[in-house]
Amino acid sequence: AVTLNASDAGTTLSILAGGSITTAGVLDSTDLELQTTAANGNITLGADANASGNVSLTTHGSGNVTVNALQEVTSTNGNITISANDLNLAGNLTASNGQVSLKPNNANILLIGGVADDARIDGGVNSVVNTTPPVAWNNRGRGRLACGRAWFF
């Protein structure tokens, strides 16, 4: 398992871990790549993760991605791509000038949720939402996707 404290990388911040990855401080970089290689490694964002370019969060097998409450994953000029078994989106994903892609890392549907409240997609007038396979919002979660275009594959 890897725990990342605050990091300000001038270029790409790329972490490849055999176990789980947890952030405990704000991450800032041009491009951000967090990936687990174990079949059950999770990524938990306990602090904001910001990039001016692309953000990629990737798990394998039963690995999940969690964005804790009050935390935000942002990209000002790139895309946000999350590949996981499940996504617990208690925080926010914001791609100001890009798209958000949520992809199941196996043949299952991608379940989005956390604690009881609402979950919504808020992309404004130019939003496009495609779901193949379906994306399931459960009644346990509160989360928000805010971007110019939201794409689900």
Side-chain angles (χ1 to χ4, degrees):
V2 172
T3 299
L4 297 171
N5 291 314
S7 178
D8 189 354
T11 58
T12 299
L13 176 59
S14 181
I15 305 294
L16 183 66
S20 294
I21 298 172
T22 301
T23 64
V26 175
L27 305 179
D28 288 302
S29 65
T30 301
D31 291 306
L32 175 62
E33 301 170 0
L34 302 179
Q35 180 176 344
T36 62
T37 58
N40 60 353
N42 299 312
I43 297 174
T44 302
L45 298 176
D48 291 346
N50 309 303
S52 57
N54 296 316
V55 175
S56 175
L57 307 175
T58 304
T59 65
H60 297 280
S62 63
N64 302 320
V65 171
T66 299
V67 180
N68 287 344
L70 305 176
Q71 307 311 315
E72 188 166 19
V73 178
T74 61
S75 170
T76 53
N77 289 304
N79 301 318
I80 298 173
T81 303
I82 297 176
S83 177
N85 179 59
D86 283 329
L87 171 62
N88 180 350
L89 183 58
N92 297 314
L93 304 175
T94 302
S96 299
N97 294 303
Q99 64 186 22
V100 174
S101 297
L102 305 177
K103 301 178 181 185
N105 66 9
N106 52 40
N108 296 325
I109 62 171
L110 181 63
L111 183 63
I112 301 172
V115 223
D117 211 334
D118 68 330
R120 70 176 188 262
I121 298 173
D122 178 6
V125 294
N126 295 321
S127 294
V128 176
V129 177
N130 296 323
T131 59
T132 309
V135 173
W137 292 94
N138 72 17
N139 63 0
R140 302 176 318 186
R142 176 181 183 87
R144 191 182 110 225
L145 301 179
C147 60
R149 304 186 109 189
W151 295 87
F152 297 92
F153 299 94

